[in-house]
């Protein structure tokens, strides 16, 4: 069964450094997403991406964050100047279009655990 | 106002029993509803999707949706210890949106 893949599985970085989290969505999916989950808290929406542009973003997704689809398969999340509070599990997800008013489920990758020291 | 609310639990049931998980949502125009299972340290895994009022069954799982009451539930029959996990209710709160909003999840513990 097709799956979303994320690399790396664990990233440790120092405060103030930039990190890039990578994702390969399911190949026929057209919507891509980033979510994060701070330890012990709920899964939070960061950003959605469709047709090579951001379609929606949350208040968490400030100027520190950016997303890019550099080629036909990869989808990346860049975090500039990381802070301690950015430590979390970051999940990439993708979905297809089912039709008007019917939303396809999101399929999640295994996540990247980001630790900022 | 929280968009998706769940009882955090833990909900403890004996092996073989029915586990009942509940969720309410605030946005009346929501059309798409999902249940995900999340094991500790792992990613959310889709169990069920439901779009219309009523029941939808898939193996040991039954999702129930009542749009008038803004309520969605998940029943797990013949609960197994391997069902022990956090169950996340998720809703797409706009009629033509695609952003999935999660509840905080209910911890289920199945005791053998």
């Amino acid at each position: 069964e097709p799956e979303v893949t994320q690399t790396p599985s664990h990233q440790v970085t120092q405060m103030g450094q930039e990190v890039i989290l990578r994702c390969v969505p399911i190949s026929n999916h057209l919507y891509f997403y980033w979510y994060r989950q701070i330890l012990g808290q709920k899964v939070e929406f960061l950003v959605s991406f469709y047709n090579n542009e951001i379609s929606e973003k949350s208040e968490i997704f400030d100027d520190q964050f950016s997303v890019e689809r550099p080629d036909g398969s990869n989808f990346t999340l860049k975090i500039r100047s990381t802070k301690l509070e950015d430590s979390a599990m970051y999940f990439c997800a993708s979905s297809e279009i089912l039709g008007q008013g019917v939303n396809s489920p999101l399929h999640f990758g295994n996540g990247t655990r980001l630790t900022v020291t | 106002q929280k968009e998706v609310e769940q009882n955090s639990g833990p909900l403890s049931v004996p092996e073989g029993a029915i586990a009942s998980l509940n969720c309410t949502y605030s946005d009346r125009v929501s059309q798409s509803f999902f249940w995900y299972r999340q094991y500790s340290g792992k990613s959310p895994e889709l169990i069920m999707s439901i779009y219309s009022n009523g029941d939808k069954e898939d193996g040991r799982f039954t999702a129930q949706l009542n749009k008038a009451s803004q309520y969605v539930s998940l029943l797990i029959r013949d609960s197994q210890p391997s069902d022990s996990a956090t169950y996340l209710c998720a809703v797409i709160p706009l009629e033509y949106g695609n952003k999935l909003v999660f509840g905080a999840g209910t911890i289920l513990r199945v005791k053998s």
Side-chain angles (χ1 to χ4, degrees):
Chain A
E1 185 174 324
E3 58 181 28
V4 177
T5 58
Q6 290 186 244
T7 55
S9 57
H10 192 187
Q11 174 91 50
V12 181
T13 189
Q14 288 191 325
M15 196 167 50
Q17 297 298 302
E18 174 183 287
V19 295
I20 297 177
L21 311 183
R22 303 181 191 279
C23 169
V24 178
I26 294 172
S27 61
N28 65 330
H29 286 186
L30 298 177
Y31 282 99
F32 314 120
Y33 311 80
W34 284 100
Y35 282 76
R36 81 172 185 189
Q37 188 174 32
I38 295 170
L39 187 64
Q41 298 187 23
K42 64 192 289 187
V43 178
E44 300 176 289
F45 171 78
L46 291 178
V47 66
S48 60
F49 192 87
Y50 172 71
N51 200 25
N52 286 318
E53 61 182 23
I54 291 173
S55 55
E56 192 167 356
K57 61 183 181 179
S58 71
E59 58 275 9
I60 302 169
F61 194 88
D62 59 21
D63 292 343
Q64 180 194 10
F65 295 89
S66 62
V67 290
E68 191 178 32
R69 188 156 165 82
D71 53 43
S73 58
N74 290 285
F75 180 52
T76 62
L77 174 69
K78 181 188 290 186
I79 309 175
R80 287 181 281 275
S81 188
T82 49
K83 306 172 195 155
L84 294 176
E85 54 264 37
D86 293 329
S87 294
M89 189 75 123
Y90 287 81
F91 295 111
C92 175
S94 67
S95 67
E96 56 185 331
I97 299 173
L98 292 183
Q100 198 171 45
V102 180
N103 300 96
S104 164
L106 274 63
H107 296 266
F108 286 82
N110 288 330
T112 293
R113 181 169 299 284
L114 176 66
T115 303
V116 182
T117 61
Chain B
Q1 184 182 12
K2 290 184 182 177
E3 291 178 290
V4 182
E5 293 207 44
Q6 297 180 253
N7 188 323
S8 61
L11 173 67
S12 292
V13 299
E15 185 174 356
I18 295 175
S20 177
L21 304 159
N22 304 313
C23 169
T24 58
Y25 60 94
S26 61
D27 199 316
R28 186 169 290 277
V29 300
S30 300
Q31 298 291 331
S32 304
F33 308 87
F34 308 93
W35 283 98
Y36 285 80
R37 177 175 61 198
Q38 187 177 33
Y39 293 110
S40 181
K42 303 296 185 183
S43 62
E45 173 193 7
L46 179 70
I47 299 174
M48 296 279 288
S49 56
I50 186 166
Y51 304 98
S52 304
N53 280 327
D55 295 359
K56 179 181 177 183
E57 187 174 320
D58 184 0
R60 295 187 295 113
F61 300 98
T62 298
Q64 300 173 315
L65 175 62
N66 183 327
K67 290 185 180 180
S69 300
Q70 295 176 231
Y71 175 91
V72 58
S73 65
L74 179 71
L75 299 177
I76 307 174
R77 287 180 299 281
D78 188 24
S79 296
Q80 301 297 308
S82 58
D83 294 328
S84 297
T86 298
Y87 288 80
L88 308 177
C89 175
V91 175
I92 295 180
L94 296 178
E95 190 167 3
Y96 297 109
N98 63 305
K99 179 181 85 172
L100 192 64
V101 177
F102 284 91
T106 298
I107 298 169
L108 174 66
R109 294 184 181 148
V110 181
K111 298 178 289 187
S112 57

